[in-house]
């Protein structure tokens, strides 16, 4: 049989091609019609496929080889088909696709494969010995790509909803993962892998670069990014609403301004804008920090200042008190000693009238540029099951002591030590707070500090106990939520013991306790509330 050779056969649809083949085959059959049965031996010259079926996976741009080895081809022909399109054949001299070549052993070679080349390829035997073809399967993996559904930069108004998204492309279909840079609000977990995400009622904290990453394991992930700019009313944060200063020194009042569009920042005293000069001037640090510098400070500078920020969206204001009164005192440490009255130098009794004398030493610091006049020290015993903040009306009432300041202290940091020699009850928890005064007035009250009159207790031993307790909790709390903590007597014994001063770890005993029971640790110079609980 002879099938006409034609350059036009490659690229024909299968129906058109079979019309040509059928015509040629019918002409040959009129001359001879051999009988083909399964029992017909190969030696009779019947063509046989000797290549296995294959399934291959390649990347976009690779080269593929599809085998089609045939024994006893004789005058028969082979046609390669992809879907319904004829690609090549032994009776085709020129192929429509330049990437395709039919090798001498009938292997089909395709270079520079694309996703369109994916699918089934069939090697078909034509002529008088037609039989089912040899089918190969080809999968083409394509590196990921993304296309954004929004511009790469967007400006939105505060309070609006914003939708951003990217469409992934590639084979297999890439998985999307979102991330955000510079924004203060993270993307919700349930949105991390969506093609489209919606930011609801945006604020300035949503502004940032939103990055869409598409990955399917083929090559590098594809990246798309959208910058979201939020236009909003200025927002001011004040690091210190009260600033202490001293005459003759330099002072800085700071406010942090967040605004887009950028805001104009002004400083006012009352309704009057502060007049700038060589002594009073503005200073900007970074993008947000706006400072009013006063150098040197004058007596009349101690006033309330207003930081004001305006832009096209609106304005915001914050007030800062600039004052010469001292900063609140900070109680640094305390120590309790029990002295026996009626003993000699060697500690031996002299007579029968031996009494315990409780001495508690407090040490505190005050930051102030000017000389201090005196202190007001408030203290009282703590009621069981109740620790209160400083409140003049709370019962039991606060007792007050007026303590002169050291007249020789002219430094910025004023340190004072005071010792209670009488008026304290034994084995009792006390709370105390202190104020300081100079020529400008009273300072704010200090934080409440707790001390005890247990024998030989101190803030140093208290800190050791706190560290030991922390270590114990870290070692034992895992998986044991309900633990009975040390008793009041055990804690008191530890704080007043010599071993506590040496930093020995307290041997806690773990027991089951009622749900919700806990020990409140008071930091700094605090003796724990737990000490006063029944």
């Amino acid at each position: 049989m002879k099938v006409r050779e034609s350059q036009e056969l490659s690229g024909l649809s299968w129906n058109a091609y079979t019309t040509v083949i059928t015509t040629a085959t019918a002409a040959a059959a009129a001359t001879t019609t051999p009988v083909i049965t399964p029992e017909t031996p190969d030696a009779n010259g019947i063509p046989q496929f000797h290549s296995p079926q294959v399934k291959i996976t390649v990347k976009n741009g690779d080269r593929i080889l599809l085998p089609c080895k045939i024994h006893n081809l004789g005058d028969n022909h082979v046609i390669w088909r992809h879907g319904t399109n004829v690609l090549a054949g032994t009776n085709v001299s020129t192929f429509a696709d330049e990437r395709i070549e039919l090798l001498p052993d009938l292997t089909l070679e395709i270079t520079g494969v694309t996703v369109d080349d994916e699918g089934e390829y069939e090697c078909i035997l034509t002529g008088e010995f037609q039989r089912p073809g040899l089918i190969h399967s080809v999968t083409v993996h394509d590196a990921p790509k993304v296309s954004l559904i929004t511009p790469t930069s967007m400006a939105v108004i505060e309070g609006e909803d914003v939708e951003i998204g990217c469409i992934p492309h590639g084979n297999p279909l890439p998985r999307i993962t979102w991330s955000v840079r510079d924004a203060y609000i993270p993307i919700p977990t349930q949105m991390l892998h969506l093609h489209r995400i919606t930011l609801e009622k945006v604020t300035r904290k949503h502004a940032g670069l939103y990055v869409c990453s598409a990955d399917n394991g083929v090559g590098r992930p594809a990246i798309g990014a959208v910058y979201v700019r939020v236009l909003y009313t200025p927002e001011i944060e004040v690091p210190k609403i009260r600033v202490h200063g001293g005459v003759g020194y330099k002072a800085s009042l700071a406010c942090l301004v967040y605004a887009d569009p950028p805001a104009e920042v002004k400083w006012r005293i009352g309704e009057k804008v502060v007049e700038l000069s060589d002594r009073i001037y503005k200073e900007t640090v970074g993008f947000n920090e706006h400072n009013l510098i006063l150098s040197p400070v004058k007596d009349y500078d101690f006033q309330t200042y207003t930081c004001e920020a305006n832009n096209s969206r609106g304005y915001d204001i914050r007030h800062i008190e600039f004052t010469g009164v001292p900063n609140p005192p900070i109680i640094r440490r305390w120590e309790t000693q029990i002295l026996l009255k009626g003993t000699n130098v060697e500690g031996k009794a002299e007579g029968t009238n031996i009494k315990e004398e409780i001495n508690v030493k407090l040490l505190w610091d005050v930051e102030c540029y000017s000389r201090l006049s005196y202190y007001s020290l408030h203290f009282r015993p703590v009621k069981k099951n109740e620790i209160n903040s400083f409140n003049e009306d709370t019962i039991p009432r606060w007792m007050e002591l007026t303590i002169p300041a050291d007249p020789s202290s002219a430094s910025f940091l004023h340190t004072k030590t005071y010792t209670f020699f009488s008026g304290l009850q034994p084995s009792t928890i006390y709370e105390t707070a202190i104020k300081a005064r100079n020529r400008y007035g009273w300072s704010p009250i200090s934080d409440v500090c707790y001390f005890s009159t247990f024998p030989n207790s101190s803030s140093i031993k208290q800190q050791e106990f706190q560290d030991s307790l922390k270590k114990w909790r870290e070692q034992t709390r895992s998986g044991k939520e309900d633990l009975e903590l040390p008793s009041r007597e055990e804690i008191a014994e530890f704080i007043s013991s010599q071993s506590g001063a040496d930093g020995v770890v307290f041997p806690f005993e773990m027991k089951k306790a009622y749900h919700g029971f806990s020990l409140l640790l008071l930091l700094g110079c605090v003796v724990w509330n737990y000490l006063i609980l029944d």
Side-chain angles (χ1 to χ4, degrees):
M1 177 191 73
K2 293 184 179 180
V3 180
R4 66 172 182 169
E5 294 186 358
S6 173
Q7 297 182 0
E8 299 176 356
L9 290 180
S10 176
L12 290 177
S13 68
W14 179 243
N15 292 334
Y17 185 84
T18 52
T19 301
V20 176
I21 298 300
T22 302
T23 303
T25 302
T31 306
T32 176
T33 307
V35 178
I36 302 175
T37 66
E39 292 76 18
T40 304
D42 183 65
N44 291 340
I46 299 175
Q48 301 286 339
F49 289 108
H50 278 257
S51 294
Q53 290 184 335
V54 295
K55 292 183 178 181
I56 62 174
T57 299
V58 295
K59 294 181 181 179
N60 192 28
D62 284 353
R63 167 177 169 261
I64 59 176
L65 295 172
L66 301 176
C68 187
K69 187 175 181 181
I70 299 176
H71 288 182
N72 300 324
L73 179 61
D75 293 334
N76 297 283
H77 289 278
V78 169
I79 299 299
W80 277 97
R81 184 178 69 173
H82 179 218
T84 60
N85 293 326
V86 175
L87 301 179
T90 55
N91 58 335
V92 180
S93 59
T94 303
F95 307 140
D97 192 335
E98 295 180 353
R99 300 175 302 130
I100 295 175
E101 183 176 351
L102 187 62
L103 302 182
D105 62 354
L106 305 181
T107 296
L108 182 67
E109 178 185 34
I110 304 177
T111 59
V113 296
T114 66
V115 176
D116 294 335
D117 295 322
E118 189 173 81
E120 291 187 344
Y121 289 78
E122 186 175 11
C123 179
I124 301 172
L125 185 64
T126 65
E128 57 183 328
F129 298 106
Q130 295 186 44
R131 58 182 56 202
L134 178 65
I135 299 176
H136 301 306
S137 178
V138 175
T139 300
V140 180
H141 282 177
D142 191 17
K145 301 181 183 64
V146 292
S147 56
L148 297 173
I149 66 171
T150 58
T152 56
S153 180
M154 302 174 62
V156 296
I157 297 175
E158 181 181 27
E160 294 181 343
D161 294 345
V162 180
E163 183 183 64
I164 57 178
C166 63
I167 307 301
H169 308 278
N171 190 29
L173 185 66
R175 185 172 189 250
I176 293 295
T177 302
W178 286 95
S179 61
V180 60
R181 302 171 188 172
D182 304 326
Y184 293 95
I185 298 180
I187 298 173
T189 304
Q190 64 271 22
M191 294 186 180
L192 286 178
H193 303 295
L194 300 180
H195 293 179
R196 298 169 182 260
I197 62 175
T198 300
L199 310 177
E200 297 181 345
K201 297 180 180 179
V202 295
T203 68
R204 67 175 177 87
K205 295 184 178 181
H206 286 94
L209 186 67
Y210 291 79
V211 179
C212 161
S213 175
D215 188 10
N216 64 355
V218 182
R220 295 183 178 181
I223 300 295
V226 179
Y227 182 78
V228 176
R229 177 187 179 190
V230 180
L231 306 178
Y232 60 96
T233 300
E235 298 177 15
I236 299 177
E237 295 178 2
V238 176
K240 293 183 178 180
I241 61 173
R242 180 185 177 277
V243 176
H244 172 72
V247 174
Y249 293 91
K250 180 180 179 179
S252 176
L253 311 182
C255 66
L256 305 179
V257 178
Y258 302 92
D260 196 355
E264 179 186 8
V265 177
K266 295 180 180 180
W267 290 89
R268 297 180 183 272
I269 300 176
E271 297 297 325
K272 183 180 178 182
V273 176
V274 174
E275 294 184 7
L276 303 179
S277 63
D278 292 339
R279 189 180 72 86
I280 302 177
Y281 55 93
K282 294 193 295 185
E283 184 178 80
T284 302
V285 179
F287 294 103
N288 306 111
E289 184 176 341
H290 296 262
N291 299 319
L292 182 66
I293 309 297
L294 301 95
S295 180
V297 172
K298 304 289 186 180
D299 251 333
Y300 52 79
D301 291 330
F302 296 128
Q303 301 188 59
T304 298
Y305 291 76
T306 300
C307 177
E308 177 182 288
N310 293 271
N311 70 2
S312 59
R313 302 293 309 162
Y315 73 96
D316 191 18
I317 62 172
R318 289 292 184 273
H319 303 294
I320 301 175
E321 180 188 1
F322 183 46
T323 180
V325 303
N327 281 331
I330 300 175
I331 302 174
R332 296 297 183 184
R333 61 180 182 267
W334 57 271
E335 181 179 2
T336 298
Q337 290 183 338
I338 306 297
L339 304 178
L340 297 179
K341 281 191 173 183
T343 59
N344 59 21
V345 186
E346 298 176 353
K348 296 181 179 180
E350 294 182 349
T352 59
N353 190 21
I354 300 178
K355 296 182 179 179
E356 286 188 348
E357 181 181 273
I358 302 172
N359 290 352
V360 176
K361 182 186 293 184
L362 295 178
L363 183 144
W364 64 86
D365 294 333
V366 179
E367 294 178 345
C368 183
Y369 283 102
S370 60
R371 192 181 302 276
L372 297 179
S373 304
Y374 47 88
Y375 303 94
S376 177
L377 189 153
H378 302 256
F379 68 100
R380 67 178 177 183
V382 177
K383 294 174 61 180
K384 288 188 176 182
N385 302 324
E386 180 180 351
I387 293 183
N388 299 298
S389 60
F390 180 77
N391 187 332
E392 301 264 2
D393 299 326
T394 302
I395 298 176
R397 298 188 63 82
W398 292 87
M399 294 171 280
E400 182 178 356
L401 295 175
T402 299
I403 304 171
D406 297 334
S408 59
S409 178
S411 64
F412 173 68
L413 185 64
H414 303 257
T415 301
K416 180 67 178 178
T417 301
Y418 178 78
T419 302
F420 290 90
F421 289 104
S422 61
L424 299 179
Q425 304 170 18
S427 300
T428 304
I429 306 297
Y430 280 86
E431 55 184 344
T432 184
I434 303 173
K435 295 188 295 185
R437 183 178 177 85
N438 65 1
R439 67 189 183 96
Y440 296 101
W442 284 106
S443 74
I445 194 75
S446 71
D447 290 336
V448 173
C449 170
Y450 297 86
F451 66 88
S452 77
T453 56
F454 293 103
N456 298 321
S457 58
S458 70
S459 55
I460 297 176
K461 292 181 181 179
Q462 165 201 300
Q463 185 62 48
E464 292 174 358
F465 174 84
Q466 181 181 339
D467 294 341
S468 298
L469 180 60
K470 181 180 179 182
K471 182 177 180 181
W472 171 78
R473 290 172 71 92
E474 291 174 349
Q475 293 176 346
T476 62
R477 189 170 184 177
S478 177
K480 300 176 181 178
E481 297 298 329
D482 299 328
L483 297 175
E484 182 176 316
L485 299 177
S487 67
R488 172 189 176 187
E489 290 73 19
E490 289 173 325
I491 296 176
E493 179 182 353
F494 174 81
I495 291 178
S496 60
S497 67
Q498 183 61 38
S499 62
D502 295 334
V504 178
V505 176
F506 189 83
F508 297 103
E509 180 181 2
M510 296 182 295
K511 299 178 182 179
K512 286 291 181 180
Y514 293 104
H515 179 71
F517 181 79
S518 63
L519 177 64
L520 299 177
L521 297 179
L522 303 176
L523 302 178
C525 64
V526 176
V527 174
W528 304 268
N529 301 6
Y530 181 72
L531 293 176
I532 63 171
L533 298 178
D534 286 333

